[in-house]
Amino acid sequence: MLIKQEAIVSMALAGAIIGASVGGWINDRFGRRKAIILADTLFFIGSIIMAAATNPAILIVGRVFVGLGVGMASMASPLYISEASPTRVRGALVSLNGFLITGGQFLSYLINLAFTNAPGTWRWMLGVAALPALIQIVLMTMLPESPRWLFRKEREEEAKTILRRIYPPEDVEDEINTLKESVEMEIKEASNSDKVSITKMLKTKTVRRGLYAGMGLQIFQQFVGINTVMYYSPTIVQLAGFASNRVALLLSLVTAGLNAIGSIMSIYFIDKTGRRKLLLFSLSGVVVSLVVLTVVFHETTTHSPIVSPADTALFNNATCPAFNGTLDSVGSAGGWDCMKCLKASPSCGFCASGSNKLLPGACLISGDTTEKQCENNERLWYTRWCPSKYGFLALIGLALYIIFFSPGMGTVPWVVNSEIYPLRYRGICGGMASTSNWISNLIVAQSFLSLTDAIGTSYTFMIFIFITTAAIVFVLIFVPETKGLPIEAVEKMLDRRTLNFKFWQGNHDDDGDDEVMKQKTQSV
């Protein structure tokens, strides 16, 4: 059963990796709009298949279709929004895409709760996802293609018509001229060279520097521990004293809500403070919150309430078998505590003392009957983690992590990747970056549970602290500021900018690039 569950979960990630890798080529070959419609169609088909599934194999097929659609849309949507947006609000509109994703996650929790008592609950939960995909298919047929893609395909009149609808009259001619110049240079370059290849892209300085920043941000987005923190959110809620699994899962709504609030903050700040400052602020906050979580998990592990044989014996025939086998002839527990009880077997749970949850408690068989028996005695039932006097700090650490991660590392990598590549390579490079994100997601998902079993939860979070610190240094060295730059001017900036290895001395390239590029754009 566990293998089937793992297959069902991992197949969506595998589909997303494939969808992202081929999505770049589809974006460049057929256009951004058609790529999004194709992604929506795949997601729609996958949702219907999952809702109608009669066995796990069909459910897995549906998950693959959904994964293909998600992977393809993960880059196509920000790319389309970026290329069809005025420069002054480009970052905010791409961040809005991130908010709609996190807001959709929050809404999905509410929908799942609404269908909890409905007949065929899981079919409704999976099938309802087809509705927004269908709505977007219809709406996308009414929207124009990316003007930059149209220029690249020599459909200038269509592109000019769209640009005149996007930009105010005093700016539109400058934008058209800048875009036309950029496309002409790329077409000239393409006619004097071979087909697009990975080798050629890596030899092109602007593309290579764009990929450093774009792919690096996508990889770090996963490796700073967001999925691990979200996975442990019910555990952290239990640490704070909400021992019921039901309450812990309900409070996941709050987690999703904080994620959505963080995305709203990104919309407001990204075009005011800039991409780099928002990233550095986000990562610095993530480090602080990870330190809090590391300390709390370490203290909980090392100061866990002990197991009382006498207390355990009060629950007739409910003693956890793993604990029962350790009792000696005089009934000593042999140094067992709550953590040892929970780790001994998935079938073990800890019933905390009624007067004080930090006092000795009982190691019992995990199940609904035992849980009710424990709670009927006005005691708290723990299956994920153990009681701790520092539990409330864990809840604060969780909230801080999400609030800091969401507006910066949650959205900025997608914004940067939608604007940092030359037009000719934009789809392919964006697809490569998106693929690196999904591969990193899969690596973290498949490894962190083994890592926590091997070295413990607190040391796993400590590793994320070092990775996040490395991400801060990476941003200082490799990520340029693109705030306020027309997309065509970003390529010129990358060509002039040097990698800032001595970042502690200040980055003069970034300081002057904004103004220089604006002046160049205005003079075209």
Side-chain angles (χ1 to χ4, degrees):
M1 185 65 183
L2 181 60
I3 295 175
K4 287 181 180 178
Q5 289 176 345
E6 290 176 345
I8 291 170
V9 172
S10 61
M11 281 301 102
L13 278 177
I17 291 170
I18 296 171
S21 60
V22 302
W25 175 80
I26 292 173
N27 267 285
D28 282 344
R29 179 68 178 82
F30 300 104
R32 312 339 183 188
R33 190 172 69 109
K34 289 180 180 177
I36 294 174
I37 291 174
L38 176 58
D40 288 332
T41 303
L42 290 169
F43 192 95
F44 176 81
I45 293 171
S47 298
I48 297 299
I49 292 174
M50 289 192 299
T54 55
N55 57 62
I58 296 176
L59 191 61
I60 288 172
V61 171
R63 291 282 289 178
V64 171
F65 271 91
V66 167
L68 288 169
V70 170
M72 195 176 297
S74 64
M75 195 60 225
S77 295
L79 185 60
Y80 176 79
I81 295 169
S82 176
E83 292 187 344
S85 302
T87 301
R88 68 183 183 280
V89 293
R90 185 176 67 236
L93 291 178
V94 178
S95 294
L96 179 61
N97 178 65
F99 164 68
L100 293 175
I101 292 172
T102 55
Q105 291 170 346
F106 177 76
L107 185 62
S108 71
Y109 278 109
L110 294 177
I111 292 172
N112 289 347
L113 285 173
F115 283 123
T116 298
N117 297 319
T121 298
W122 66 271
R123 294 186 187 277
W124 283 105
M125 289 179 178
L126 297 174
V128 75
L131 183 60
L134 180 62
I135 292 173
Q136 184 159 295
I137 290 172
V138 174
L139 293 177
M140 285 303 298
T141 60
M142 304 177 188
L143 292 175
E145 181 53 84
S146 160
R148 286 167 173 79
W149 184 84
L150 290 172
F151 252 106
R152 184 72 182 81
K153 296 299 179 180
E154 300 181 356
R155 294 161 60 178
E156 291 189 15
E157 291 307 314
E158 292 179 63
K160 289 178 181 178
T161 301
I162 296 168
L163 287 171
R164 289 190 177 99
R165 291 164 58 186
I166 296 173
Y167 287 88
E170 62 270 18
D171 296 335
V172 68
E173 290 305 320
D174 284 344
E175 184 66 27
I176 290 173
N177 291 334
T178 303
L179 179 56
K180 186 175 181 180
E181 178 189 277
S182 174
V183 171
E184 286 175 351
M185 289 177 60
E186 291 193 5
I187 292 175
K188 183 178 179 180
E189 179 188 344
S191 64
N192 295 330
S193 62
D194 300 326
K195 290 184 177 180
V196 174
S197 66
I198 299 295
T199 303
K200 177 173 175 53
M201 284 197 303
L202 294 178
K203 288 181 178 179
T204 306
K205 183 168 66 173
T206 53
V207 176
R208 187 171 64 250
R209 290 179 175 175
L211 283 173
Y212 287 159
M215 292 184 69
L217 286 176
Q218 295 286 28
I219 292 169
F220 275 118
Q221 185 188 63
Q222 297 300 321
F223 276 94
V224 297
I226 177 60
N227 286 326
T228 306
V229 172
M230 296 300 282
Y231 176 87
Y232 272 102
S233 60
T235 300
I236 292 168
V237 171
Q238 277 201 354
L239 271 174
F242 302 98
S244 166
N245 283 331
R246 296 183 186 89
V247 175
L249 290 173
L250 284 172
L251 286 174
S252 295
L253 275 171
V254 178
T255 303
L258 289 174
N259 210 8
I261 291 171
S263 299
I264 294 174
M265 292 168 60
S266 179
I267 294 171
Y268 179 79
F269 285 110
I270 194 164
D271 285 318
K272 295 181 180 294
T273 64
R275 284 61 161 155
R276 290 178 87 240
K277 288 181 181 178
L278 197 54
L279 282 170
L280 293 171
F281 172 78
S282 173
L283 289 167
S284 299
V286 165
V287 169
V288 173
S289 57
L290 285 172
V291 169
V292 172
L293 291 172
T294 298
V295 171
V296 172
F297 274 106
H298 178 72
E299 288 298 311
T300 303
T301 303
T302 55
H303 297 84
S304 178
I306 65 172
V307 175
S308 167
D311 203 28
T312 302
L314 295 175
F315 296 85
N316 296 328
N317 301 318
T319 304
C320 176
F323 173 69
N324 206 29
T326 65
L327 295 175
D328 56 27
S329 58
V330 295
S332 172
W336 269 53
D337 60 14
C338 173
M339 288 303 302
K340 196 167 185 178
C341 171
L342 297 186
K343 289 184 177 181
S345 169
S347 63
C348 290
F350 184 78
C351 184
S353 173
S355 58
N356 184 338
K357 65 182 180 181
L358 301 178
L359 293 177
C363 185
L364 307 173
I365 296 173
S366 180
D368 291 340
T369 303
T370 312
E371 180 180 353
K372 289 178 181 177
Q373 191 178 358
C374 175
E375 292 174 348
N376 286 341
N377 291 322
E378 297 184 354
R379 302 168 68 158
L380 297 177
W381 178 246
Y382 290 84
T383 56
R384 293 177 178 269
W385 209 258
C386 293
S388 171
K389 62 181 178 180
Y390 302 106
F392 193 74
L393 283 177
L395 202 59
I396 293 174
L398 172 65
L400 285 176
Y401 185 97
I402 296 169
I403 290 172
F404 278 109
F405 177 89
S406 184
M409 285 301 290
T411 55
V412 175
W414 299 105
V415 174
V416 170
N417 274 281
S418 69
E419 61 191 10
I420 203 169
Y421 306 114
L423 181 57
R424 185 186 179 204
Y425 305 104
R426 197 164 292 155
I428 293 176
C429 290
M432 290 171 62
S434 186
T435 301
S436 68
N437 181 288
W438 290 108
I439 291 175
S440 301
N441 188 326
L442 183 62
I443 292 171
V444 173
Q446 295 297 317
S447 63
F448 87 87
L449 283 178
S450 300
L451 195 61
T452 54
D453 286 340
I455 65 174
T457 306
S458 59
Y459 289 105
T460 301
F461 278 112
M462 187 178 293
I463 290 174
F464 289 133
I465 293 173
F466 293 129
I467 293 174
T468 308
T469 303
I472 292 174
V473 176
F474 173 85
V475 170
L476 290 169
I477 294 175
F478 291 98
V479 180
E481 180 55 72
T482 55
K483 181 191 74 170
L485 292 179
I487 291 181
E488 290 69 39
V490 172
E491 182 178 357
K492 297 177 183 178
M493 180 268 291
L494 284 174
D495 188 54
R496 296 176 63 252
R497 184 179 188 269
T498 57
L499 296 180
N500 190 27
F501 287 108
K502 296 183 179 180
F503 57 84
W504 58 87
Q505 296 179 356
N507 188 355
H508 302 294
D509 290 325
D510 279 343
D511 291 341
D513 273 334
D514 280 350
E515 199 60 40
V516 170
M517 289 299 111
K518 286 177 183 176
Q519 292 173 2
K520 285 188 175 183
T521 304
Q522 291 170 358
S523 65
V524 172

